[in-house]
Amino acid sequence: MIPRFEIGVLELKEGPISGLETPKTVKKNDVVWTSKVRPASVVTLLDGVPKRPRPGGIPAVAPGTQLFGLTLSNGMAYCPVLPVKSGVPKAQCFRDIDGDGTFDGAYVGNSDGLKGRFLIASVYGLVPIPKRRYEPAIWNPANDAMMSMSYVGSEKGVHQFRLELDGQKIPTPQVCVGNDDDTCSLDQVTLRISETSEGVRIELVSSFDSSRTRVQFER
């Protein structure tokens, strides 16, 4: 049984971070580092899909369009990149229900008020469609997004950060998980954080050349 409505998880590949080459002192809501990100799962739609008449005339998707993966509870939906900050709230997203290498189901992908090229937070209204071919693809770097991580504050000694994509704040904060020493880790970034009279001092202990970042939308 496939739910007709789901909130997705966006899996991104993150490039090297910048802004923490030396320790910095920040206050609440200051940006700590930036990086470029792209979807971890990408396909190309080979057969176009016409405009969806209900609800509200969701736009057609042309053949050759790159689609990014949105992880659902028991599968993947693939959605087109949204125009950045255009206010376009919805798009068609597709699913290969029977796993035969063709899309045979279509959702309405909803940005839930967020504005960014990958910010489809939920899908609903799954309906069957005539089979449409797709194939794995190499991502076009022209569609990379800028990501930043800001310091939110601490609660009971646990430091929290907030991710932004295309300048859009993701409401759900991310926690820097404590290690056995005086450091904590956020995905594959390890930090040393200490309180000072001027704010919070953040030192980069270790990072990566390429990593994966999960964007969890609000439930």
Side-chain angles (χ1 to χ4, degrees):
M1 183 67 68
I2 299 175
R4 287 178 55 81
F5 168 84
E6 286 199 61
I7 294 174
V9 175
L10 178 62
E11 302 267 0
L12 297 172
K13 289 183 179 179
E14 183 179 3
I17 68 175
S18 61
L20 267 181
E21 292 77 13
T22 59
K24 65 165 50 172
T25 299
V26 300
K27 296 181 179 179
K28 186 176 180 178
N29 297 324
D30 284 348
V31 172
V32 181
W33 75 79
T34 61
S35 59
K36 287 187 175 181
V37 294
R38 62 183 57 178
S41 181
V42 186
V43 302
T44 296
L45 182 67
L46 299 179
D47 301 314
V49 179
K51 175 180 177 180
R52 178 169 170 158
R54 293 182 301 276
I58 311 302
V61 185
T65 299
Q66 284 201 328
L67 309 174
F68 64 89
L70 188 68
T71 302
L72 304 177
S73 62
N74 60 355
M76 297 285 291
Y78 286 89
C79 308
V81 175
L82 297 176
V84 179
K85 297 190 179 216
S86 70
V88 174
K90 294 179 174 64
Q92 292 197 71
C93 298
F94 308 105
R95 183 161 181 166
D96 183 353
I97 296 172
D98 60 11
D100 70 348
T102 60
F103 291 128
D104 47 14
Y107 294 97
V108 176
N110 191 358
S111 64
D112 290 356
L114 301 172
K115 294 181 181 179
R117 67 199 74 195
F118 311 136
L119 296 183
I120 291 177
S122 61
V123 293
Y124 67 93
L126 179 63
V127 295
I129 60 171
K131 289 184 178 292
R132 294 291 191 269
R133 295 172 300 151
Y134 67 92
E135 64 182 9
I138 297 174
W139 180 251
N140 180 357
N143 287 324
D144 283 357
M146 183 60 69
M147 188 187 89
S148 64
M149 195 70 77
S150 299
Y151 182 72
V152 173
S154 64
E155 183 175 338
K156 296 181 179 179
V158 177
H159 296 282
Q160 297 184 339
F161 293 76
R162 177 162 286 119
L163 183 153
E164 296 185 21
L165 282 173
D166 289 325
Q168 174 72 62
K169 293 180 180 179
I170 306 301
T172 306
Q174 299 194 4
V175 171
C176 196
V177 179
N179 299 315
D180 292 335
D181 52 17
D182 61 346
T183 67
C184 64
S185 295
L186 190 66
D187 291 324
Q188 294 185 44
V189 177
T190 300
L191 306 171
R192 182 173 288 111
I193 304 175
S194 57
E195 304 280 348
T196 73
S197 59
E198 298 178 347
V200 174
R201 182 181 187 272
I202 300 180
E203 176 187 354
L204 177 65
V205 176
S206 65
S207 184
F208 52 82
D209 291 326
S210 180
S211 180
R212 286 204 178 196
T213 295
R214 290 168 58 88
V215 180
Q216 178 69 65
F217 298 102
E218 286 191 317
R219 295 186 179 277

